[in-house]
Amino acid sequence: MTSAERELGGWFSVDAEIGCDVRPAALSDDLVSTIDYGAVAARIVEIGTGQRVNLLERLAGQVAEALLREYPCHEVRVRLRKLTPPMGGVPGIPGVEVRRRR
């Protein structure tokens, strides 16, 4: 992380896939039977705007571990991309993907 990034922050894109049994929700059509994806999104934002980290790998790992710990799932996959990287004019969007299982 550069000094400018530490001062200004950055923009990220996060994709989170949660592996869980959706049969109860499919049968009941009731939010109580599944994971509230709005709550998941809010939790990801909370983690991402909390304590600063230096590496994409660390932030993706923190998100994955929190989702596994806080929601009834057996697997998560988190893809995190830095949308505003200081790469000296080189085009591209760096990113990482982490998977965690119980």
Side-chain angles (χ1 to χ4, degrees):
M1 177 180 283
T2 67
S3 60
E5 287 180 295
R6 279 194 275 301
E7 185 176 322
L8 299 173
W11 290 95
F12 299 90
S13 170
V14 180
D15 294 320
E17 294 181 17
I18 298 174
C20 63
D21 183 2
V22 298
R23 287 176 291 190
L27 293 171
S28 69
D29 197 28
D30 186 358
L31 180 59
V32 175
S33 302
T34 192
I35 295 172
D36 181 343
Y37 304 116
V40 170
R43 184 64 176 118
I44 291 170
V45 169
E46 182 181 358
I47 294 165
T49 57
Q51 179 183 6
R52 288 194 180 225
V53 298
N54 292 320
L55 299 175
L56 292 174
E57 293 84 352
R58 175 147 172 96
L59 182 55
Q62 287 177 336
V63 169
E65 295 296 334
L67 296 180
L68 259 186
R69 185 176 55 251
E70 298 170 16
Y71 294 94
C73 54
H74 60 272
E75 178 180 24
V76 297
R77 181 168 72 173
V78 175
R79 285 183 300 276
L80 178 66
R81 290 179 295 280
K82 185 180 269 189
L83 300 178
T84 55
M87 296 182 9
V90 176
I93 300 174
V96 298
E97 179 176 308
V98 297
R99 294 177 188 214
R100 300 287 190 271
R101 292 177 165 235
R102 286 188 200 268

